[in-house]
Every structure is written in structure tokens, then in C-alpha cells.
Amino acid sequence: MEQENKINLIGLIGLTVSAVLGGGIYNLVSDMAKNAYVGPTMIALIISGTGMAIFCICLIGLTNKFPELDAGIFSFPGKVFGKYAAFNSAVGYWASNFIGNAAFATFVFSALGYFFPVFGNGQNIASVVGASICLWGMHFIISRGINFATKINSILTIFKLFPLVIFIIAMIIVFDYQMLTTNFWSNISTKFDFSLVFPQVRNALASSVWVYVGIEGAVAFSARAQQKKDIKKAIIFSFILITSIYLLSTVLSFAVMSRQDLAGLGKPALGQVLKEAVGPWGAVMINCGVIISTLGTWFTATMFCGEICYQAAKRDIFPKFLMKENQNRAPINGLRLSNCLVQLFIILVLVNRSAYNFMALLASGSMLVPYFLVASSYFKTTLYNQPKKKSSLFLGLLAVLYMMFSLVSLGKTYLCLMSLLFSLFTLVYYKLQKNSENLAFNIGEAVIAISVVSVAIYTVFSLINGSIEISAL
């Protein structure tokens, strides 16, 4: 029975790929084209890919260094920096997933509106009812056991990869070299000019910074892996597969349509690119792909929500009641709490669209917090334990700097809004630690907590006086 609830290598790869490849890939080329020509776009994708490759190396390094840690991504900051760092990592990871699920629900039914007009833009009563049925249907499937849910997820992953593979093959068949190379670096010169290329790369990076979110998927379920060595294999294989898909689907689109045309495409952009190449059936297939892909990512994120609550509760980071499992060893209370919150945000789409946007903005960049703390954990561990390994120190430093860049690229307003989320949960953390008669914060943690709360107070006043306007974001 124990082994039946463990996840094999294929399951871990499916979880990782499904977590990363959501609906965003179908619009990435248009987002990039708004900021850059094909040459700078390739550089931006290579930089973001390299940054996340280094992060993956750090993640694998920590997994090898601390094989006993199987609680997921938050366990490494907890080991290196303490419980408060673990708590913030867990909160960032959990919040990003459960609030993201509400966005996935809206996106799925907006895509279904292409085939069934009753769903409109995904923000009407029919969409809310449909999304609620999907949400609790996923809850029921996952509650039957993680192993069963992983098999369903692997099937969804295969279906979500199918339209992307067809797209890439079609782009190769209709490949137009002249279209690709015309205005390769800019509309002024076909030669590389740093003054023209750098601003494009910088702007394109803002779109590509998010494309690897979820790459740590195998680590999130490390406690349920059949073999610990499968975790790093899943990370490596998933990263190579995902990077190949991103590069091919984005760059090959520039060989079919000009940058100006790509930038002006509606959603999903890949559907209109494929329609241009092969006819109307291409748009139909891609729209189906968007629905399946987003459903798959929504399903995976729902699994993550339950697991992160369960593992954090086992380590006295989240409330103890979240440790409860059902007879199938599914983290049932974590699933219930997370899905009730998702249901609330889905309903907010009807009641108050601006309230939904507000909450979504609070969590939009929260995943980068655990990423930054993991990179910092690797750097500190190497610095103190293996100071002579200069290459590892350098990689750790690069990972920290890349995650800092990713956070800064969010902009002041997003960071201020994120402080509201983390200050609220800091109060929860303080209450939990006081109840357990533990020292809530050491001096360093207290300084960080006070700083976060101070920024949150500043943000509240800025929202009141209008210097921060969510509607303008």
C-alpha cells in the first residue's frame, strides 16, 4: 500500500512539465514581440533559460546535500536560515498556487467561450458554475490518492504536449528563412548593435522571467517519490524538454509572421500563427490545446496546494490540522482549505472584479520569494561548507543575482502589494509560534518582519491616497 502511493519518474516529470507549461506559452511569442525582434527575443530566452538552469543546479545540489529533507521547496531555506524563512517560502509557494488556480479557472472558461459563447469572457455566472464543478471534480480525483491523481496528470500532460508538437512540426514545414532574418536585430539594421539590442532584451526579459515557474515540481513531491534519485532526473529532463518547446515555438513563429503582426495578435497567439500557416483548423486545435493545457496546470497546482499545506504542518510551520490525511493518504484538509479559498476567488469574479484583481496581484510574484531563498540557501551552504569550490560559489551567486533581478523586475508597486500578503501571514506565524511557546523571531528575523510590515503599512496609505492604483497595473 505504501509503494502504491509513491510517484515514479514519469509521474514526477509529468508534474513538473504540467506545472510549467500552462496557458501562458500560447501567448508568449506575442508578449515577446511587443518588446523585441527575433534576435533579442532569442537572447532573452537564453538568458532566462540559463538563469533557471543555474537555479535547477542549485536545487539539485541542495537535494544531494540534504537528502533527508523531503518536505518540498521550503525545507532548504528552513534548514539554512531557520523556521521563519521556511514559513515565507511555504506561504509564497502556496499562495502563488491557490490564487493562480482562480486565474486558471477564468482562463479555461474564457477559452471555452471560443466554442461555447455562453461562457463569454470567463467572468459570468455560467463560467463560475462550470469552474466550480471543475474545481471540486479535481478535489474528488486528488482525494482518491496522490498516485491516482499523478496518473491522471500524466495523461493530461501528454494531451497538452500534443498540440505544441504539431505546432512546431507545422512551423518547420512552412519555415521562411527570409521572414526570420529580415530585421533580425531591429528595424534599423540587420547587424548587431548593442545600443539597439540591449533595451529590447531588457524589455523581453520581463515577459520571459515567469516562463519557468513550476520547474521545482518534482521537489514539491520529493517525500512521495519512489526513489530520491528520480527527483534530479525529473528536473533535468523536464528543463530540457520545456526549454526546447519555448525556443522552438517562439523563434519559429517569427519565420511565419513579422514582429509587428505577432505583436498585434489576440489570445491565444499561437492559434492565429498556426491558422496563418495551415488554415482554420490550426486555430481550433490550439484553442483546444489552451483548454487542456490550462486544465492540466490547474490540476497540478491543486495537488501542490494540498501537499505544501500537509508538509508545512508536519514541520510545525502551518497549523496542525492541515496534517490530516484521508484513507487514501491524500492531504485532505490542505486540499479543503486551498479549494475553499479558490472557490471564494472564483465567486469574487462575479461580485467584484477589482477585488479579484487585487488579490491576484498580491500573489502574482510570490513564487519568486521561495526561489530567491532557495538560491540563497545554496550560496550560503557552499560558502560555509565548501568555500574552495569556486565554481559552485559562482553558480550560487549567479542564482541569487538572477532571482534578485526577477524580483526587482516586478517593479515597486508589485513588491509593495506583495508585502501586504507576507505581512498578513507574518502575523499568523507570530501567533502560531506564541501558541507553541517558541521564540517567534530571532534578531535578524525580527528586522525582516518589521521591514515587511512597515512596507505593508506604507502600501496601505499609498492605496488610500491614490499614489498606488491597482486599476492602472
Short mmCIF file of all heavy atoms in Angstrom, two decimals, residues 47-57 208-209 211-216 239 371 402-403 406:
data_model
loop_
_atom_site.label_atom_id
_atom_site.label_comp_id
_atom_site.label_asym_id
_atom_site.label_seq_id
_atom_site.Cartn_x
_atom_site.Cartn_y
_atom_site.Cartn_z
N ILE A 47 18.93 33.85 -21.83
CA ILE A 47 19.31 34.37 -20.51
C ILE A 47 18.39 33.81 -19.43
O ILE A 47 18.85 33.33 -18.39
CB ILE A 47 19.26 35.92 -20.49
CG1 ILE A 47 20.39 36.49 -21.36
CG2 ILE A 47 19.38 36.45 -19.06
CD1 ILE A 47 20.33 37.99 -21.52
N SER A 48 17.07 33.87 -19.67
CA SER A 48 16.14 33.34 -18.66
C SER A 48 16.32 31.83 -18.49
O SER A 48 16.25 31.31 -17.37
CB SER A 48 14.69 33.68 -19.04
OG SER A 48 14.33 33.10 -20.28
N GLY A 49 16.57 31.13 -19.61
CA GLY A 49 16.81 29.69 -19.54
C GLY A 49 18.07 29.37 -18.77
O GLY A 49 18.11 28.45 -17.95
N THR A 50 19.14 30.17 -19.01
CA THR A 50 20.40 29.97 -18.29
C THR A 50 20.23 30.25 -16.81
O THR A 50 20.73 29.50 -15.96
CB THR A 50 21.49 30.88 -18.87
OG1 THR A 50 21.65 30.61 -20.27
CG2 THR A 50 22.82 30.65 -18.16
N GLY A 51 19.49 31.33 -16.49
CA GLY A 51 19.24 31.66 -15.10
C GLY A 51 18.52 30.55 -14.37
O GLY A 51 18.87 30.18 -13.24
N MET A 52 17.50 29.98 -15.02
CA MET A 52 16.75 28.90 -14.38
C MET A 52 17.53 27.58 -14.40
O MET A 52 17.33 26.73 -13.52
CB MET A 52 15.39 28.73 -15.05
CG MET A 52 14.42 29.84 -14.74
SD MET A 52 14.22 30.20 -12.97
CE MET A 52 13.47 28.67 -12.39
N ALA A 53 18.42 27.40 -15.39
CA ALA A 53 19.28 26.21 -15.39
C ALA A 53 20.20 26.24 -14.18
O ALA A 53 20.40 25.22 -13.50
CB ALA A 53 20.09 26.16 -16.68
N ILE A 54 20.75 27.42 -13.88
CA ILE A 54 21.60 27.57 -12.70
C ILE A 54 20.79 27.32 -11.43
O ILE A 54 21.26 26.67 -10.48
CB ILE A 54 22.25 28.97 -12.68
CG1 ILE A 54 23.21 29.11 -13.87
CG2 ILE A 54 22.99 29.21 -11.37
CD1 ILE A 54 23.72 30.52 -14.07
N PHE A 55 19.55 27.83 -11.41
CA PHE A 55 18.67 27.60 -10.26
C PHE A 55 18.42 26.10 -10.09
O PHE A 55 18.43 25.59 -8.96
CB PHE A 55 17.35 28.33 -10.45
CG PHE A 55 16.33 28.03 -9.39
CD1 PHE A 55 16.45 28.57 -8.13
CD2 PHE A 55 15.25 27.20 -9.65
CE1 PHE A 55 15.52 28.29 -7.13
CE2 PHE A 55 14.31 26.92 -8.67
CZ PHE A 55 14.45 27.47 -7.40
N CYS A 56 18.21 25.39 -11.19
CA CYS A 56 18.00 23.93 -11.13
C CYS A 56 19.23 23.23 -10.58
O CYS A 56 19.10 22.26 -9.80
CB CYS A 56 17.64 23.39 -12.52
SG CYS A 56 15.99 23.82 -13.10
N ILE A 57 20.42 23.70 -10.97
CA ILE A 57 21.67 23.12 -10.44
C ILE A 57 21.73 23.31 -8.92
O ILE A 57 22.11 22.40 -8.17
CB ILE A 57 22.89 23.77 -11.12
CG1 ILE A 57 22.96 23.34 -12.59
CG2 ILE A 57 24.18 23.38 -10.40
CD1 ILE A 57 24.00 24.08 -13.41
N SER A 208 9.76 36.98 -20.10
CA SER A 208 10.28 35.60 -20.02
C SER A 208 10.65 35.17 -18.62
O SER A 208 10.93 34.00 -18.37
CB SER A 208 11.51 35.46 -20.93
OG SER A 208 12.56 36.29 -20.49
N VAL A 209 10.66 36.11 -17.65
CA VAL A 209 11.06 35.80 -16.30
C VAL A 209 10.14 34.75 -15.66
O VAL A 209 10.55 33.98 -14.81
CB VAL A 209 11.09 37.11 -15.47
CG1 VAL A 209 10.22 37.08 -14.25
CG2 VAL A 209 12.50 37.45 -15.08
N VAL A 211 8.41 32.24 -17.26
CA VAL A 211 8.08 31.06 -18.05
C VAL A 211 8.53 29.74 -17.42
O VAL A 211 8.05 28.68 -17.83
CB VAL A 211 8.64 31.18 -19.49
CG1 VAL A 211 8.03 32.36 -20.21
CG2 VAL A 211 10.16 31.27 -19.49
N TYR A 212 9.43 29.80 -16.44
CA TYR A 212 9.90 28.55 -15.81
C TYR A 212 9.31 28.33 -14.43
O TYR A 212 9.71 27.40 -13.73
CB TYR A 212 11.42 28.55 -15.72
CG TYR A 212 12.10 28.32 -17.05
CD1 TYR A 212 12.58 29.40 -17.79
CD2 TYR A 212 12.24 27.05 -17.58
CE1 TYR A 212 13.20 29.21 -19.02
CE2 TYR A 212 12.85 26.84 -18.80
CZ TYR A 212 13.33 27.93 -19.51
OH TYR A 212 13.94 27.73 -20.73
N VAL A 213 8.37 29.16 -14.02
CA VAL A 213 7.75 28.96 -12.71
C VAL A 213 7.07 27.59 -12.66
O VAL A 213 6.26 27.26 -13.52
CB VAL A 213 6.73 30.07 -12.41
CG1 VAL A 213 5.88 29.71 -11.20
CG2 VAL A 213 7.45 31.39 -12.17
N GLY A 214 7.43 26.79 -11.68
CA GLY A 214 6.93 25.42 -11.56
C GLY A 214 8.00 24.37 -11.81
O GLY A 214 7.74 23.17 -11.65
N ILE A 215 9.22 24.81 -12.17
CA ILE A 215 10.28 23.87 -12.53
C ILE A 215 10.70 23.01 -11.33
O ILE A 215 11.31 21.95 -11.48
CB ILE A 215 11.51 24.62 -13.11
CG1 ILE A 215 12.47 23.67 -13.83
CG2 ILE A 215 12.24 25.39 -12.02
CD1 ILE A 215 11.90 23.03 -15.07
N GLU A 216 10.34 23.45 -10.13
CA GLU A 216 10.69 22.72 -8.91
C GLU A 216 9.66 21.64 -8.57
O GLU A 216 9.70 21.04 -7.50
CB GLU A 216 10.82 23.69 -7.73
CG GLU A 216 9.50 24.18 -7.17
CD GLU A 216 8.63 24.94 -8.16
OE1 GLU A 216 9.17 25.69 -9.00
OE2 GLU A 216 7.40 24.76 -8.11
N PHE A 239 13.47 20.25 -17.62
CA PHE A 239 14.05 21.53 -18.03
C PHE A 239 14.44 21.52 -19.51
O PHE A 239 14.16 22.47 -20.25
CB PHE A 239 15.28 21.86 -17.17
CG PHE A 239 15.96 23.14 -17.57
CD1 PHE A 239 15.46 24.36 -17.14
CD2 PHE A 239 17.07 23.14 -18.40
CE1 PHE A 239 16.06 25.55 -17.53
CE2 PHE A 239 17.68 24.31 -18.79
CZ PHE A 239 17.18 25.53 -18.35
N TYR A 371 11.97 30.96 -4.49
CA TYR A 371 13.08 30.76 -5.42
C TYR A 371 14.32 31.50 -4.94
O TYR A 371 15.44 30.97 -4.94
CB TYR A 371 12.69 31.25 -6.82
CG TYR A 371 11.77 30.33 -7.60
CD1 TYR A 371 11.18 29.23 -7.01
CD2 TYR A 371 11.49 30.57 -8.94
CE1 TYR A 371 10.33 28.39 -7.73
CE2 TYR A 371 10.65 29.74 -9.67
CZ TYR A 371 10.08 28.65 -9.05
OH TYR A 371 9.24 27.83 -9.76
N TYR A 402 20.21 36.44 -10.18
CA TYR A 402 19.12 36.30 -11.16
C TYR A 402 17.76 36.40 -10.48
O TYR A 402 16.84 37.04 -11.00
CB TYR A 402 19.24 34.97 -11.90
CG TYR A 402 18.14 34.77 -12.92
CD1 TYR A 402 18.16 35.49 -14.11
CD2 TYR A 402 17.07 33.91 -12.68
CE1 TYR A 402 17.14 35.34 -15.06
CE2 TYR A 402 16.06 33.76 -13.61
CZ TYR A 402 16.09 34.48 -14.79
OH TYR A 402 15.08 34.33 -15.71
N MET A 403 17.62 35.77 -9.31
CA MET A 403 16.34 35.86 -8.60
C MET A 403 16.09 37.27 -8.08
O MET A 403 14.94 37.74 -8.06
CB MET A 403 16.30 34.85 -7.45
CG MET A 403 16.25 33.40 -7.93
SD MET A 403 14.89 33.12 -9.11
CE MET A 403 15.42 31.61 -9.89
N SER A 406 14.87 39.15 -11.00
CA SER A 406 13.48 38.78 -11.29
C SER A 406 12.51 39.50 -10.36
O SER A 406 11.46 39.98 -10.79
CB SER A 406 13.30 37.26 -11.17
OG SER A 406 14.14 36.58 -12.08
#
